[in-house]
Amino acid sequence: ADDVTLQLKWVTQAQFAGYYVALDKGFYGEEDLNVTIKPGGPDIAPAQVIAGGGADVVLDWMPSALASREKGLDLVNIAQPFKSSGMMLTCRKDAGVASPADFPDKTLGVWFFGNEYPFLSWMSKLGLKTDGSAGGVTVLKQGFNVDPLLQGQAACVSTMTYNEYWQVIDAGLTPDDLQVFKYEEQGVATLEDGMYVMGENLKDDAFKDKMVRFVRASMKGWKYAESNPDEAAMIVLDNDASGAQTEKHQKRMMAEVAKLTAGSNGALDVDAYQRTVDSLLSGGSDPVITKEPVDAWTHEISDLALK
Amino acid sequence: MIWILCGIIFWLAMWAMNLRLSKAKPNKLIGFIIPTIFGLTILVLWECVVRGFEISPVLLPTPTAIAARFGNSIPILWVDFVQTFVKGALSGFILGCGAAFLTAIAVDRSSFLQAGLLPVGNFVAALPIVGMAPILVMWFGFDWQSKAAVVVVMVFFPMLVNTVEGLKASDHMQRDLMKTYGAGYFQALTKLRLPAAMPFIFNGLKICSTLALIGAIVAEFFGSPIKGMGFRISTEVGRLALDMVWAEITVAAIAGSAFYGVIALIEKAVTFWHPSQR
Amino acid sequence: MTSSPSIISRVTPVLTIIAIIIAVWYAGAVALNAPWAQDKATRAGVTLSFSELVSDTWAQEKPKLPAPHQVAKEIYNTTVMKKITSKRSLIWHGWITLSATLLGFALGTGLGILLAVGIVHSRAMDLSVMPWVIASQTIPILAVAPMIIVVLNAVGISGLLPKAMISMYLSFFPVVVGMVKGLRSPSAMQLDQMRTWSTPKSTVFWKLRLPSAMPYLFTSLKIGMAASLVGAIVGELPTGAVAGLGARLLAGSYYGQTIQIWSALISAAVLAAVLVALIGLIQRITLTRMGMLR
Amino acid sequence: MSEATVIEAKNLSLTFQTNDGPVHALQDINLEINKGDFVSFIGPSGCGKTTFLRVMADLETPTAGEITVNGMTAREARKNRAYGYVFQAAGLYPWRTIGGNIKLPLEIMGYSKTEQNERVARVLELVELSGFDRKFPWQLSGGMQQRASIARALAFDADILLMDEPFGALDEIVRDHLNEQLLALWARTEKTIGFVTHSIPEAVYLSTKIVVMSPRPGRIADVIESTLPRERPLDIRDTPEFLDIAHRVRDGLRLGHGDDV
Amino acid sequence: MSEATVIEAKNLSLTFQTNDGPVHALQDINLEINKGDFVSFIGPSGCGKTTFLRVMADLETPTAGEITVNGMTAREARKNRAYGYVFQAAGLYPWRTIGGNIKLPLEIMGYSKTEQNERVARVLELVELSGFDRKFPWQLSGGMQQRASIARALAFDADILLMDEPFGALDEIVRDHLNEQLLALWARTEKTIGFVTHSIPEAVYLSTKIVVMSPRPGRIADVIESTLPRERPLDIRDTPEFLDIAHRVRDGLRLGHGDDV
Ligand SMILES: Nc1ncnc2c1ncn2[C@@H]1O[C@H](COP(=O)(O)OP(=O)(O)OP(=O)(O)O)[C@@H](O)[C@H]1O
Ligand SMILES: Nc1ncnc2c1ncn2[C@@H]1O[C@H](COP(=O)(O)OP(=O)(O)OP(=O)(O)O)[C@@H](O)[C@H]1O
Ligand SMILES: Cc1ncc(C[n+]2csc(CCO)c2C)c(N)n1
Ligand SMILES: [Mg+2]
Ligand SMILES: [Mg+2]
């Protein structure tokens, strides 16, 4: 069997259910693949891992992948199981935020580590400065959790529809207390959790073949997870070595993630791609990327996989 | 290949030179040149290896690239330095070492505390920073106060252990002398125990000086305003701007070494009498 | 040899202090968790009596500061109640961290002593290496840890060793600093004595420098041990936080589960305290046998 | 000579516990020292002289018997700063200059700055170390360190001066000079002095009472009251009376040694 | 007396730099010591005796002039383990028992285990410390520590024995005994001995050559060749010849002291 190493963008959770299902249900084995899944974490930059040769495929958000590409790292998107973005900004109504017009002079929690690009391009679209100057917004580097919102240190924090939002809810705030801004609805959605490989590897036919089988099995896993969310969540739970995840949270996460992957067959939607690129290019004085990327994606693999 | 070869030749040459220099009569100039040459050698070797093996700049940038980035980013680096070093590390260092020092004296004074506080103190201070940092950020907010708190927790234990050990360091005859004077506790402390403890205390301060910087930087990984050395490092790693990361690390290394150096100088002045200083 | 005072007179102070700490802790839990309890109450439109407030602050699901009994219960549940092979057992995670800690400590102590010996004996090393050893410690480990892990992974080293390396990186420094001081602590007369016998450097080391350095060595080892544990935990984060107390801490933070963070934190501290106490014990025995404790 | 008893030891014994069995350092010591006495202790090496001095100064606790100083316990006397003590080894603090070391007890006892300086100058003069006050201990020869430690004990006004072989490391001439100085100081101040020495002439020259000790277990072999006048020029050492006392001391010593050598 | 020169100092000077100016410890020292000589150094406290001994043993480097030992530099001689050195202070290692301390040089010089034990027993006997080999230094009296350190230097076979006031802390009887032992050892082994003392009788009794030094800057005031026979019973100290030499030494000392006291 051929060895494939997959580097996740975050710790083991239902966000990556498709891959764990494919592994657990033997879909990879059917394709004669021997897949190792490496969980990520707050200090793991998937792009760096693949550059160091620690993985064959990585999951990354497109803004970060394209930014890395501009840094000279030849990352190529070969498949895109997530169709829509799960990112949103969750605000407390009692902090006085009802619409983006209320943002000025508020403190907003943002994830950095390459995850800040969608937020930055949204703000530049709104014409708000993020450097702390008057009339702009004050940005906090948000930690792992939603504490700043709960404790009133920030008016809004970044959340994913499938994860942090529910932590806010679990903590005791009700949806009525909250005002959420989904990036999808604000027209600043960017593509999340795509599969990326090194461009030069794609010149190797054996590697390409391996990836075709990998994408095919992974998508099979995703579709299985979408239709059997609870079982998928339990598979994820079994694979969590830290033993810290809870069943309730993972099942809920799986249900939310299924909404984001629904409708994707794995092939990159070129329109969505262009939307992402445009929003990243239009970053005002400090755009995330400065020129139209070339060869940043290919349908070669997904086309063969979907045949 | 050429690069590798050059690197090795340069290395050997410098090594030979340092050996020669270190045999010469010690003086200030040589004390400065030798480490400089050593450092230079490492940098040149680094440059050669990166170029020779064509290591991707997103893994390890060359020293020249780092230097260029450093030169271009002085204002940012300065803001970060003030935020992390001056506000976070320094204030935490002073508070933490001060608290540990006082605790050590309390522990030393009372055998009850000695028996009770020392084990518990060890325990509390052994709480790993990685775990403490998020909690302290939660308690003290995002700005430098929480970083200082992390530093306090981090430096407390090394300082405590060293001071407690140091306070035991005076020898029997020296203590007997104090007894014959009917010296009070406080007098024996200031005139004998503290001076005798100084080598240990400075040991602690030196170790803490580096810990303080690490602590302040690491704490910023768990939430911070958008400035500070730790913030910059974690953000730029994610952006694969490794040259900026290393520029910050350079600042950290320079600031940390200078901090350590200042403490070592004070130590030299204060413990001139200790055999290790002669 | 050293007459040990009765167990009771030794344990009482510890228990007293612990009692005080627990009391302060409960009070702290009330103070820190009260705002959230009030917040909830206001949004629900009720007012809390003091006793309601207290019982609420000691029983929140994600408190700012969990009460001691909540942590104790969590620790009990994750140690005694779970099979030690279970991924939900703190003992299992503790063991993973402990093994990296011990290996890192051994490596770090070895490296530290080796460097100290070199620095004390060679002027060239003293002048050239020491400044860079210091500089190395100012590099924020959490920033380089992922790079180290990535690089080591790329050359096929994974598992225990990368974590132990980070642990070593943190623990060797206190040992170097302490040992350099200690190895230089023999008095001029003691060194002169050795010179009159034209003693080889290695013998001076074994018979004079090392014994004189013992008090410094043990102090350094205690700090080094605590640092090793921190290193092992830090090293667990960028491995994908798969297992170990560090992973528990991280996962706990990630999901805002303060009770889980605190129980991992307390376990780590217990581990460190036990290890440090162990070194203290060895110190007592060694120094007593060397006639240096009276 | 005033008749007030200053130090009184009754059935004093002290046993050290060591890793290979107990060492009986002192056994059944009975001794009375009156105010203004100059008592020398003489005896073979290891017989317990230092130990006895340490017991008097409350640096060691007897395992049996009791000791009273000025009618109180040794501990109380120590707290009242009754003692000046010169240790067998100099024991200067390495982080203080010679002047600083001598100032140390003065600082502790709260003398004024000017008085401190005055006294330091005076005692340095006394032990012939003027001009060395700014040197550090390791910059002095062995004998000079010993003298500095004597100066330190003489700098303040203790009722009771306990000196453990203070002049052991000094040449004859300095020693004679310091013997004279010490006698003069004693005559002037009416201090009570306990003095350990190995030199029989020195013991006889200085003392009003000579305690000869015998070793293991340390006992008092003989107590010789001197018949010499209080006023003692150096050449008193050639008088027959002097030689007589010296002879008695030597006999006592030989007796004590007998079973050991 | 054999005529081979063992130690030769030519125009030797040594100046210490201190925080308040230079100290001239030795100035223009010229001295020859032959094989088998027993040379005593005597002089006022602080005159440079210790410093000179240290220069001979290559523990201090002269600032001018030169010194040769056995025709080589002092350094080479030290490397050849030519020296046994007894320091002015005992300097025992606190973490070793008395036996362990004495064994130390033997271990370093690679004696076999059995020989080590044999020698330790022998020298402990010699200094009258049998039975104390398992005690730690701080469990011994001052004089006993001093004797242990003498035993340590005698335990191995060094050509040149340098002893810095070895018997300062001992009572007359032990001192006499050790003097005899030392003479016997010297006669038996043909060692060359350099010996610092403050006791004029001791110097005269032991030496073939007495070097009288004068202080600051330390110079040689007089070198007295002894006319006493090599065989010396203790009562030689009452002969007129002995008293004569003693007198000459005392004169030399007084002269040296003159400008200082
Ligand atoms: N390390 C040093 N630094 C500065 N001065 C020193 C040092 N060692 C000795 N001296 C000075 O050198 C002089 C000679 O000292 P040395 O120890 O040789 O005297 P000594 O003859 O042995 O005296 P003693 O009989 O008191 O032992 C003294 O004045 C002393 O202060
Ligand atoms: N701390 C100790 N522990 C055990 N034994 C001790 C201790 N101090 C002294 N001794 C023993 O007690 C005895 C008396 O010692 P002490 O120091 O009083 O003798 P000394 O008369 O002062 O001798 P010296 O003239 O040699 O100084 C010795 O046999 C010594 O070994
Ligand atoms: C420090 C930190 N950075 C980013 C996130 C946000 N996040 C949540 S899930 C996920 C994986 C992307 O698919 C990411 C990046 C966080 N919680 N903490
Ligand atoms: Mg004594
Ligand atoms: Mg001397």
Side-chain angles (χ1 to χ4, degrees):
Chain A
D2 298 310
D3 290 332
V4 173
T5 307
L6 169 69
Q7 174 68 57
L8 304 183
K9 188 174 166 55
W10 198 250
V11 297
T12 304
Q13 58 180 0
Q15 181 189 0
F16 311 107
Y19 310 99
Y20 283 109
V21 167
L23 186 67
D24 199 70
K25 290 278 160 200
F27 300 161
Y28 289 132
E30 287 165 14
E31 297 284 355
D32 196 27
L33 290 174
N34 178 21
V35 174
T36 311
I37 302 178
K38 286 183 170 177
D43 326 275
I44 296 176
Q48 205 183 22
V49 174
I50 201 171
D56 299 305
V57 202
V58 297
L59 301 184
D60 206 349
W61 289 1
M62 187 166 276
S64 148
L66 293 182
S68 303
R69 210 181 150 73
E70 265 205 3
K71 286 263 163 10
L73 190 69
D74 186 16
L75 284 182
V76 178
N77 182 305
I78 54 167
Q80 184 63 41
F82 275 58
K83 193 172 173 64
S84 19
S85 159
M87 262 197 118
M88 51 190 192
L89 203 59
T90 300
C91 307
R92 281 175 81 137
K93 284 185 179 153
D94 57 8
V97 183
S99 78
D102 296 322
F103 285 162
D105 296 324
K106 293 284 182 320
T107 301
L108 311 182
V110 178
W111 294 313
F112 280 81
F113 205 74
N115 301 316
E116 67 274 32
Y117 298 123
F119 173 82
L120 294 178
S121 56
W122 183 23
M123 287 303 124
S124 80
K125 191 176 159 199
L126 291 175
L128 292 172
K129 284 206 176 309
T130 55
D131 57 6
S133 54
V137 294
T138 303
V139 175
L140 275 186
K141 182 194 156 187
Q142 176 180 338
F144 302 137
N145 50 46
V146 292
D147 286 342
L149 186 75
L150 304 180
Q151 280 149 29
Q153 288 166 336
C156 311
V157 293
S158 302
T159 56
M160 304 302 289
T161 52
Y162 48 80
N163 189 1
E164 287 81 0
Y165 177 74
W166 297 104
Q167 292 182 36
V168 179
I169 299 297
D170 282 350
L173 288 170
T174 58
D176 285 344
D177 299 326
L178 301 170
Q179 175 69 51
V180 300
F181 303 98
K182 293 194 173 179
Y183 281 51
E184 284 285 354
E185 290 164 5
Q186 300 296 323
V188 287
T190 52
L191 287 169
E192 292 159 7
D193 285 23
M195 295 185 222
Y196 293 82
V197 300
M198 295 293 282
E200 63 182 74
N201 286 341
L202 286 176
K203 293 182 192 125
D204 174 8
D205 282 336
F207 182 82
K208 263 204 295 203
D209 176 52
K210 215 159 69 172
M211 285 304 114
V212 169
R213 285 180 280 143
F214 178 75
V215 171
R216 192 185 296 135
S218 299
M219 287 318 296
K220 195 169 165 194
W222 271 119
K223 293 310 145 191
Y224 187 92
E226 274 172 36
S227 39
N228 307 282
D230 284 356
E231 186 188 351
M234 290 316 286
I235 291 174
V236 169
L237 222 49
D238 287 342
N239 279 282
D240 165 37
S242 76
Q245 317 285 25
T246 59
E247 192 182 320
K248 172 184 163 205
H249 190 62
Q250 292 307 314
K251 283 187 171 160
R252 197 167 52 192
M253 183 185 291
M254 186 61 235
E256 289 293 334
V257 164
K259 293 179 194 162
L260 302 179
T261 54
S264 167
N265 57 6
L268 177 70
D269 174 353
V270 184
D271 291 341
Y273 166 78
Q274 201 53 50
R275 240 193 356 262
T276 302
V277 169
D278 290 344
S279 115
L280 295 177
L281 273 172
S282 67
S285 62
D286 190 18
V288 175
I289 53 176
T290 52
K291 50 182 183 295
E292 186 78 32
V294 228
D295 295 339
W297 57 276
T298 172
H299 273 165
E300 236 181 312
I301 306 291
S302 48
D303 284 350
L304 285 170
L306 295 172
K307 252 201 309 212
Chain B
M1 215 50 230
I2 297 274
W3 282 108
I4 304 287
L5 223 68
C6 287
I8 291 175
I9 290 170
F10 183 84
W11 179 22
L12 292 175
M14 286 300 140
W15 189 11
M17 187 149 134
N18 253 358
L19 274 184
R20 282 270 290 282
L21 274 175
S22 66
K23 295 229 170 68
K25 263 230 166 79
N27 65 33
K28 284 222 170 78
L29 190 67
I30 287 187
F32 176 77
I33 290 179
I34 290 184
T36 314
I37 291 183
F38 182 83
L40 212 67
T41 314
I42 290 189
L43 292 182
V44 170
L45 219 57
W46 174 352
E47 182 93 28
C48 292
V49 166
V50 171
R51 284 173 190 252
F53 288 111
E54 291 178 358
I55 294 175
S56 161
V58 303
L59 286 179
L60 190 66
T62 61
T64 42
I66 296 168
R69 164 61 63 197
F70 190 102
N72 290 334
S73 318
I74 302 264
I76 294 183
L77 293 174
W78 174 250
V79 168
D80 292 348
F81 170 79
V82 171
Q83 169 74 14
T84 304
F85 186 82
V86 180
K87 291 188 184 161
L90 216 51
S91 58
F93 176 82
I94 293 169
L95 278 175
C97 290
F101 180 81
L102 295 179
T103 311
I105 287 179
V107 162
D108 177 74
R109 172 84 221 237
S110 133
S111 59
F112 182 82
L113 287 183
Q114 172 111 25
L117 207 56
L118 209 52
V120 180
N122 287 357
F123 173 81
V124 173
L127 298 170
I129 33 151
V130 210
M132 286 305 285
I135 292 170
L136 292 172
V137 170
M138 180 162 97
W139 288 359
F140 294 98
F142 277 83
D143 215 343
W144 62 270
Q145 292 87 345
S146 59
K147 316 305 175 281
V150 170
V151 173
V152 168
V153 174
M154 246 184 121
V155 300
F156 188 83
F157 180 63
M159 191 61 193
L160 181 76
V161 171
N162 267 290
T163 312
V164 167
E165 208 62 39
L167 287 173
K168 293 186 203 148
S170 55
D171 74 33
H172 273 248
M173 202 209 297
Q174 293 173 331
R175 269 182 262 176
D176 283 347
L177 187 68
M178 276 298 165
K179 277 193 176 175
T180 68
Y181 297 150
Y185 166 81
F186 192 70
Q187 289 171 319
L189 183 70
T190 51
K191 309 248 181 234
L192 169 62
R193 317 266 310 280
L194 281 182
M198 281 304 159
F200 281 86
I201 289 178
F202 275 96
N203 227 11
L205 289 177
K206 278 157 129 183
I207 292 169
C208 291
S209 70
T210 61
L211 283 183
L213 193 54
I214 298 185
I217 291 176
V218 166
E220 287 179 359
F221 287 32
F222 299 85
S224 68
I226 50 172
K227 60 185 176 190
M229 299 161 79
F231 165 78
R232 199 75 56 199
I233 288 172
S234 68
T235 303
E236 300 294 345
V237 169
R239 293 178 170 184
L240 297 190
L242 273 278
D243 50 354
M244 188 63 190
V245 173
W246 282 97
E248 288 283 358
I249 290 179
T250 309
V251 174
I254 293 173
S257 304
F259 192 17
Y260 185 98
V262 167
I263 292 175
L265 277 182
I266 301 174
E267 175 185 35
K268 220 180 175 109
V270 173
T271 66
F272 62 93
W273 50 271
H274 192 258
S276 68
Q277 298 290 344
R278 266 184 270 149
Chain C
M1 255 164 280
T2 38
S3 59
S4 54
S6 75
I7 295 287
I8 293 177
S9 75
R10 251 202 247 176
V11 169
T12 333
V14 181
L15 291 182
T16 318
I17 301 281
I18 290 179
I20 294 172
I21 288 181
I22 289 184
V24 172
W25 187 344
Y26 269 113
V30 173
L32 283 167
N33 300 334
W36 177 247
Q38 298 286 18
D39 197 13
K40 252 188 330 191
T42 344
R43 275 186 280 106
V46 292
T47 43
L48 291 173
S49 73
F50 181 71
S51 67
E52 279 169 339
L53 179 72
V54 168
S55 64
D56 183 275
T57 53
W58 289 351
Q60 292 174 7
E61 200 185 333
K62 291 183 176 178
K64 205 167 175 181
L65 175 61
H69 67 265
Q70 291 179 292
V71 177
K73 189 163 154 248
E74 167 79 7
I75 291 183
Y76 180 79
N77 282 341
T78 47
T79 50
V80 184
M81 300 301 283
K82 294 277 185 305
K83 274 218 310 271
I84 46 172
T85 48
S86 154
K87 284 171 185 169
R88 288 175 186 268
S89 160
L90 259 189
I91 297 181
W92 184 74
H93 289 285
W95 164 247
I96 294 201
T97 304
L98 179 66
S99 52
T101 305
L102 291 181
L103 183 60
F105 176 73
L107 292 174
T109 308
L111 177 68
I113 292 179
L114 229 61
L115 277 176
V117 170
I119 286 169
V120 168
H121 285 98
S122 148
R123 241 176 65 77
M125 260 188 90
D126 183 14
L127 290 175
S128 50
V129 177
M130 197 58 191
W132 295 95
V133 166
I134 298 158
S136 80
Q137 291 301 301
T138 59
I139 297 177
I141 181 65
L142 218 57
V144 259
M147 300 188 220
I148 295 175
I149 304 257
V150 165
V151 169
L152 287 180
N153 248 327
V155 291
I157 301 172
S158 61
L160 194 59
L161 205 58
K163 286 195 268 176
M165 299 283 273
I166 289 163
S167 183
M168 172 185 89
Y169 173 90
L170 277 185
S171 65
F172 89 95
F173 183 68
V175 179
V176 174
V177 173
M179 279 304 274
V180 165
K181 188 107 211 159
L183 291 175
R184 283 184 179 155
S185 69
S187 71
M189 198 214 296
Q190 292 173 327
L191 282 167
D192 282 346
Q193 184 83 71
M194 284 293 184
R195 287 185 71 187
T196 66
W197 299 326
S198 174
T199 315
K201 275 187 173 181
S202 63
T203 315
V204 174
F205 174 80
W206 288 113
K207 303 215 186 259
L208 175 57
R209 291 192 187 274
L210 193 62
S212 326
M214 280 304 164
Y216 289 87
L217 174 66
F218 281 109
T219 313
S220 304
L221 288 186
K222 286 181 193 168
I223 297 165
M225 185 57 100
S228 289
L229 185 72
V230 171
I233 287 176
V234 168
E236 273 163 5
L237 305 187
T239 48
V242 182
L245 293 176
R248 298 285 291 195
L249 280 174
L250 184 74
S253 327
Y254 184 42
Y255 297 102
Q257 308 211 356
T258 33
I259 299 180
Q260 190 180 314
I261 303 179
W262 276 89
S263 66
L265 210 53
I266 299 285
S267 319
V270 168
L271 202 58
V274 168
L275 293 174
V276 169
L278 213 61
I279 295 178
L281 188 71
I282 298 173
Q283 173 180 26
R284 280 188 88 88
I285 294 171
T286 318
L287 293 191
T288 308
R289 279 186 52 184
M290 284 171 66
M292 286 167 95
L293 270 192
R294 287 180 224 175
Chain D
M1 219 180 285
S2 114
E3 279 306 295
T5 304
V6 176
I7 299 178
E8 187 173 11
K10 273 197 217 138
N11 300 322
L12 205 69
S13 297
L14 194 153
T15 306
F16 289 108
Q17 300 299 341
T18 74
N19 42 350
D20 59 344
V23 175
H24 300 283
L26 295 174
Q27 192 150 40
D28 282 327
I29 301 277
N30 285 290
L31 186 71
E32 252 180 54
I33 299 178
N34 292 328
K35 175 139 188 60
D37 267 355
F38 195 126
V39 184
S40 286
F41 296 87
I42 194 163
S45 169
C47 71
K49 304 178 293 296
T50 299
T51 308
F52 190 29
L53 237 55
R54 289 173 59 83
V55 170
M56 286 189 218
D58 186 42
L59 296 176
E60 213 78 70
T61 316
T63 41
E66 57 177 289
I67 184 152
T68 51
V69 177
N70 288 331
M72 18 183 178
T73 63
R75 189 181 160 71
E76 286 160 345
R78 179 166 66 73
K79 293 281 176 210
N80 283 335
R81 294 175 174 159
Y83 304 106
Y85 199 115
V86 180
F87 288 90
Q88 196 163 358
L92 301 169
Y93 289 3
W95 53 85
R96 284 181 170 242
T97 59
I98 298 307
N101 266 286
I102 296 175
K103 249 181 225 158
L104 179 67
L106 305 176
E107 288 170 9
I108 288 176
M109 299 178 189
Y111 288 77
S112 73
K113 274 265 179 306
T114 42
E115 183 145 22
Q116 286 179 19
N117 293 329
E118 209 174 277
R119 280 172 181 251
V120 168
R122 193 173 72 221
V123 290
L124 277 175
E125 174 86 52
L126 193 81
V127 298
E128 298 179 10
L129 281 179
S130 307
F132 284 87
D133 69 326
R134 298 198 32 220
K135 295 263 188 294
F136 284 97
W138 70 87
Q139 298 174 322
L140 259 55
S141 77
M144 291 156 96
Q145 290 180 23
Q146 189 62 34
R147 281 183 276 157
S149 101
I150 296 166
R152 183 172 59 180
L154 296 181
F156 59 98
D157 304 309
D159 276 356
I160 304 171
L161 204 53
L162 300 174
M163 306 175 86
D164 197 351
E165 294 187 47
F167 305 146
L170 303 178
D171 63 294
E172 252 178 45
I173 294 164
V174 175
R175 195 162 177 155
D176 282 354
H177 171 77
L178 286 179
N179 275 344
E180 279 184 300
Q181 296 287 337
L182 186 59
L183 272 187
L185 182 97
W186 170 67
R188 205 170 58 236
T189 56
E190 283 260 303
K191 279 182 201 291
T192 309
I193 299 185
F195 187 93
V196 175
T197 179
H198 283 305
S199 159
I200 299 172
E202 188 171 77
V204 179
Y205 175 66
L206 293 171
S207 323
T208 58
K209 191 184 247 176
I210 300 165
V211 178
V212 182
M213 295 180 67
S214 70
R216 253 157 284 142
R219 285 181 217 261
I220 294 184
D222 199 357
V223 179
I224 300 158
E225 301 280 347
S226 175
T227 50
L228 297 177
R230 264 182 101 89
E231 197 68 48
R232 299 172 186 184
L234 271 173
D235 50 20
I236 204 172
R237 293 183 294 192
D238 301 321
T239 61
E241 208 179 345
F242 185 98
L243 295 176
D244 215 47
I245 301 175
H247 204 81
R248 202 176 141 197
V249 174
R250 184 161 293 123
D251 283 348
L253 265 178
R254 254 180 242 287
L255 224 73
H257 243 287
D259 44 355
D260 210 67
V261 178
Chain E
M1 218 180 287
S2 113
E3 278 306 294
T5 304
V6 176
I7 299 177
E8 187 175 12
K10 273 196 216 137
N11 299 323
L12 205 70
S13 297
L14 195 152
T15 306
F16 290 106
Q17 300 300 341
T18 73
N19 43 348
D20 58 345
V23 175
H24 301 283
L26 296 174
Q27 192 151 44
D28 282 327
I29 301 279
N30 285 289
L31 187 70
E32 251 180 54
I33 299 178
N34 293 328
K35 174 140 187 61
D37 266 357
F38 195 125
V39 184
S40 287
F41 296 86
I42 194 162
S45 169
C47 71
K49 304 178 296 294
T50 298
T51 308
F52 190 28
L53 235 56
R54 289 174 58 83
V55 170
M56 286 189 218
D58 185 43
L59 296 177
E60 213 77 70
T61 317
T63 41
E66 58 177 291
I67 186 152
T68 52
V69 177
N70 288 330
M72 16 181 179
T73 62
R75 193 181 157 73
E76 286 159 348
R78 182 167 63 74
K79 292 281 174 212
N80 285 333
R81 293 180 171 152
Y83 303 105
Y85 199 117
V86 180
F87 286 86
Q88 195 163 357
L92 301 169
Y93 292 176
W95 55 88
R96 282 181 168 242
T97 58
I98 298 307
N101 266 286
I102 296 175
K103 247 181 225 156
L104 183 61
L106 304 176
E107 288 170 9
I108 291 172
M109 299 180 188
Y111 287 78
S112 73
K113 274 265 179 302
T114 43
E115 183 145 21
Q116 285 179 19
N117 292 330
E118 209 173 276
R119 281 173 180 251
V120 168
R122 196 174 69 219
V123 291
L124 276 177
E125 174 86 51
L126 193 81
V127 298
E128 299 181 7
L129 281 180
S130 308
F132 285 87
D133 69 326
R134 298 196 34 220
K135 294 264 188 296
F136 283 101
W138 45 271
Q139 297 176 322
L140 259 56
S141 77
M144 292 155 95
Q145 290 180 26
Q146 188 63 32
R147 281 182 275 157
S149 106
I150 296 167
R152 185 171 57 179
L154 296 180
F156 59 98
D157 304 309
D159 279 355
I160 304 171
L161 205 52
L162 300 175
M163 306 174 88
D164 197 351
E165 294 188 46
F167 304 147
L170 302 178
D171 62 294
E172 252 177 49
I173 293 163
V174 175
R175 196 162 177 157
D176 283 352
H177 171 76
L178 286 180
N179 276 344
E180 280 184 300
Q181 296 286 338
L182 186 59
L183 271 187
L185 183 97
W186 169 66
R188 204 168 60 233
T189 54
E190 283 261 303
K191 279 182 201 291
T192 310
I193 299 185
F195 188 93
V196 175
T197 180
H198 283 305
S199 158
I200 298 174
E202 187 171 77
V204 179
Y205 174 65
L206 292 171
S207 325
T208 59
K209 192 184 249 177
I210 301 163
V211 178
V212 182
M213 296 180 68
S214 71
R216 255 158 281 143
R219 286 181 217 260
I220 294 184
D222 198 359
V223 178
I224 300 158
E225 301 280 346
S226 176
T227 50
L228 296 177
R230 264 182 100 88
E231 197 68 50
R232 298 172 186 185
L234 272 174
D235 51 21
I236 204 174
R237 293 184 294 192
D238 299 323
T239 62
E241 208 180 346
F242 185 96
L243 296 176
D244 215 44
I245 302 176
H247 204 82
R248 203 177 139 196
V249 175
R250 185 161 290 124
D251 283 348
L253 265 178
R254 253 180 243 287
L255 224 71
H257 244 286
D259 46 356
D260 209 70
V261 177

